[in-house]
Amino acid sequence: MTNIIEQIRIEHGNMTRLLDALERNVTIFDDGGKPDYEIVLGILDYFLDYPDRCHHPKEDLLARKLLEDGDEAARPLQKLQAQHEELAILSRRFRQYVHRVLDEAELPRSDFVRAAREFIDSQRHHMQMEEEHFLPLAESLLSPQDLASLDSELFAEADPLMVPGDEARYATLREAILSWEGEQRG
């Protein structure tokens, strides 16, 4: 069984895969083409659901443990929850742009691309901060007993993107990502 830090890293990897797929579709749109809106909406549905429901609570639990231990190096983690809220706002804003495009509302292509890139860049920047600072800090300050205690507080819900057959609404998205990754390797 993976511990909380390993789970967070696996989920970051899955989210990175989604951002890569979204970036691919945004590039198609920016070049004047028609992206796969089913994929784009699937990615947004994922980012509006899974992180707040399952991923961010894991990070918040880990941050609370670090802060309660009183280590001064953990003080910057007090901003983590606010950053998660900002990411949710960006997700909702970008979804509005997608729906405007789908409703054929007047919207400069550049506005859509700018909103998409802001969403993608913010997600990537946040995960990079967590991977470079937050998770290594947790690994250095928390004991195996601390991690075991945190693991016991977690609820077991698999990432719906990567569990075939578990979440039908993500099946198309999962298949598209696996196909694109196969193309990149081949």
Side-chain angles (χ1 to χ4, degrees):
M1 180 172 154
T2 58
N3 71 37
I4 187 171
I5 295 173
E6 292 165 340
Q7 288 177 18
I8 291 169
R9 284 197 167 116
I10 289 167
E11 291 167 359
H12 282 171
N14 292 343
M15 288 183 221
T16 297
R17 295 165 79 185
L18 286 172
L19 293 172
D20 291 346
L22 179 58
E23 203 159 39
R24 178 182 180 134
N25 278 278
V26 169
T27 299
I28 290 168
F29 183 85
D30 196 24
D31 291 343
K34 183 179 176 191
D36 186 330
Y37 289 110
E38 184 176 357
I39 298 297
V40 172
L41 287 171
I43 292 167
L44 281 169
D45 285 347
Y46 178 92
F47 274 99
L48 286 164
D49 175 44
Y50 188 76
D52 285 342
R53 187 169 45 85
C54 298
H55 179 74
H56 292 155
K58 290 173 191 159
E59 294 173 341
D60 294 342
L61 183 66
L62 192 58
R64 272 194 305 276
K65 177 63 177 162
L66 289 166
L67 289 166
E68 91 183 16
D69 287 350
D71 195 295
E72 197 58 38
R75 290 283 168 240
L77 297 179
Q78 291 173 324
K79 298 177 184 177
L80 193 64
Q81 190 168 13
Q83 291 175 358
H84 290 161
E85 291 168 10
E86 290 171 22
L87 291 172
I89 290 168
L90 285 173
S91 300
R92 288 190 297 274
R93 183 181 312 147
F94 180 50
R95 181 177 59 184
Q96 291 173 342
Y97 276 92
V98 172
H99 283 289
R100 288 180 63 195
V101 168
L102 291 172
D103 293 340
E104 298 180 3
E106 281 294 317
L107 178 69
R109 200 171 275 268
S110 61
D111 288 358
F112 176 87
V113 171
R114 185 174 43 256
R117 300 233 186 268
E118 181 182 19
F119 169 80
I120 293 167
D121 292 346
S122 295
Q123 293 286 347
R124 289 189 192 280
H125 176 76
H126 179 75
M127 286 189 294
Q128 180 181 1
M129 178 278 300
E130 290 176 340
E131 290 289 335
E132 292 177 359
H133 303 290
F134 173 48
L135 297 178
L137 180 66
E139 288 174 320
S140 70
L141 296 178
L142 298 178
S143 70
Q145 294 79 16
D146 291 331
L147 292 173
S149 172
L150 291 172
D151 290 343
S152 71
E153 294 182 47
L154 293 177
F155 50 92
E157 183 169 346
D159 187 337
L161 179 68
M162 294 300 137
V163 181
D166 188 49
E167 272 288 337
R169 68 182 175 159
Y170 295 120
T172 302
L173 184 56
R174 181 175 39 257
E175 291 166 12
I177 290 170
L178 293 173
S179 173
W180 290 331
E181 289 176 347
E183 288 172 13
Q184 288 177 338
R185 280 183 246 134

